[in-house]
Amino acid sequence: MAGARTRAPVVIVMNPRSGGGKMARYGLVPRAEGMGAQVWTTSVEEDAASLARNAVVEGAQVLGVAGGDGTVSAVAAVAADTGRPLVVVPSGTRNHFARDLGLDLRDPVRALDALVDGEPAQVDLGMLGSRVFINNVSFGVYADALLEPGYREDKPRAFAAVAPDYAKGRQWVEARVDTPWGTVEFPQVVLISNNPYHLATPRWLGRRFSLGTGQLGAIVLKRPAQAPPDLLRHLREELRQHKRGAGSAGDGGGAVIWSASHITLHGEGRHLDAGVDGEAVRLPLPVECGIQPGALRLLLPKDRPGTPPERAMRH
C-alpha cells in the first residue's frame, strides 16, 4: 500500500488496475503525496469502500479517489454518507462521471490541483435502494454483456455475443417499467441515469450537462427488432424520426424517454441482472431507483475544461 497509515486530513484511494495502470503511468502517487495527501491503494484484501471508511475513522477530512467509475462510485458513497468532500481523479478507462464534472481526462494529474485551491460543488447521487450510483443502472443487452467472460478485455466481443438474441426478439428484460405513458412490458433495454443524458446533439450525445437537476433520466427501448449495442445512437435516430428536440420527453414508439425522481421495475421473478456503474450485479425485484439531490460534496480544480455549456459561455 502506498503511503504510511498515519493520521492525515486528506486520503486518496487509488485503484492501480484502473485504466490499464494510469496511476503509475501518470505518477499520481508521488504527485499526491507531494501535495500533502496520503495514498491508500486497493488490493484483493481491501476494496475502495473499506479503505475510504477506514480513512474517515483515521481522521480524514477530505477523501479523494483515483480510478474508474466503479471505484469512484464506491468512494463517493462513503464521502456522502460521512459528509466528507470528494476529489475525483480520472484514471479509469471511460471516466464518465469525471467527464461530466468537466475534469480533464487527458491529464488526470490536473485534478489534484483541487487539493490546493479546490472549488466546492454539490451534485446529486442516484440511489438503487441503499446503493449509490454515479452514472447509471442498465438492464438488458448491456447488463448481459457485463456478465460475459472476458468483458473487460474485449468489450466488442462481449456485446457481439449477446446482441443477436435481443435484435431477433428472443431476449428481453424480464420486468415491466412504469412510465408516464403507461407500463412497458418486457422492454429490450432500460437505462436509468443519475440526471438525464443529452440526446439531441450528435456531438454531445450521452453527456450530462448537469448533475444537479434532482431528477433521474429514464430511457426504455420497446421495439424487439431494434436493440443494437449502440444504444445512444439508436436513441438519436428515434428522436430524429419523431422530431423531438433537446430536453423533450415522451413515447416515441420504439423509445420512451422521461425524467422522474423515482422509477420502479416490477417483475414476477426474484432477481434481475443489471449493470451498475459498469459493474455486473443481481438485484432483487422490485427494483426501486431514486435520487438524493446535492448529496455529494466535491472539490473541483479551478482550471478545468468544463462541460460543453460552460465552455460555450467562456468563449
Side-chain angles (χ1 to χ4, degrees), residues 162-171 188 224-228:
V162 301
D165 283 346
Y166 282 91
K168 295 174 183 177
R170 296 198 297 255
Q171 185 70 26
Q188 289 286 288
Q226 298 184 24

Side-chain angles (χ1 to χ4, degrees), residues 10-227:
V10 181
V11 173
I12 302 180
V13 176
M14 294 193 183
N15 185 343
R17 296 175 298 280
S18 293
K22 282 185 179 179
M23 185 183 93
R25 196 158 63 248
Y26 284 90
L28 293 177
V29 173
R31 292 295 293 269
E33 291 179 338
M35 301 173 80
Q38 285 193 23
V39 175
W40 295 4
T41 56
T42 61
S43 65
V44 175
E45 293 79 20
E46 294 181 297
D47 60 21
S50 298
L51 288 174
R53 290 202 176 276
N54 289 340
V56 172
V57 171
E58 293 296 324
Q61 297 303 305
V62 175
L63 291 174
V65 57
D69 286 317
T71 303
V72 173
S73 182
V75 179
V78 176
D81 186 49
T82 59
R84 266 55 175 183
L86 182 70
V87 173
V88 177
V89 182
S91 60
T93 301
R94 301 296 181 185
N95 302 298
H96 292 295
F97 185 64
R99 176 200 64 186
D100 293 342
L101 290 175
L103 298 178
D104 189 343
L105 305 189
R106 296 170 298 179
D107 186 5
V109 173
R110 291 179 61 185
L112 292 172
D113 291 344
L115 297 175
V116 178
D117 59 355
E119 293 182 332
Q122 286 185 261
V123 298
D124 305 337
L125 288 177
M127 299 301 299
L128 184 60
S130 60
R131 176 174 180 156
V132 162
F133 64 94
I134 56 173
N135 290 327
N136 61 55
V137 183
S138 60
F139 305 88
V141 65
Y142 289 95
D144 287 358
L146 285 168
L147 293 169
E148 281 290 304
Y151 167 81
R152 300 292 178 192
E153 293 74 26
D154 192 349
K155 294 180 182 179
R157 183 208 58 78
F159 280 117
V162 301
D165 283 346
Y166 282 91
K168 295 174 183 177
R170 296 198 297 255
Q171 185 70 26
W172 48 81
V173 180
E174 292 279 358
R176 56 187 183 274
V177 188
D178 297 329
T179 84
W181 299 272
T183 300
V184 176
E185 301 272 356
F186 306 120
Q188 289 286 288
V189 174
V190 178
L191 184 68
I192 300 171
S193 56
N194 171 25
N195 282 259
Y197 287 113
H198 179 81
L199 300 172
T201 310
R203 183 181 181 187
W204 308 120
L205 193 67
R207 297 292 299 271
R208 291 170 294 175
F209 292 165
S210 174
L211 288 167
T213 68
Q215 294 282 291
L216 299 168
I219 300 168
V220 175
L221 296 189
K222 298 190 297 182
R223 190 172 300 162
Q226 298 184 24

Side-chain angles (χ1 to χ4, degrees), residues 210-276:
S210 174
L211 288 167
T213 68
Q215 294 282 291
L216 299 168
I219 300 168
V220 175
L221 296 189
K222 298 190 297 182
R223 190 172 300 162
Q226 298 184 24
D230 196 343
L231 169 62
L232 293 175
R233 291 194 182 279
H234 174 56
L235 285 166
R236 178 161 58 87
E237 291 304 315
E238 286 282 350
L239 292 170
R240 178 182 296 167
Q241 291 172 18
H242 295 278
K243 302 184 185 300
R244 298 188 180 277
S248 65
D251 186 344
V256 187
I257 304 162
W258 77 101
S259 300
S261 59
H262 188 270
I263 297 167
T264 303
L265 280 74
H266 306 275
E268 304 307 322
R270 296 180 60 187
H271 298 94
L272 199 60
D273 290 328
V276 181

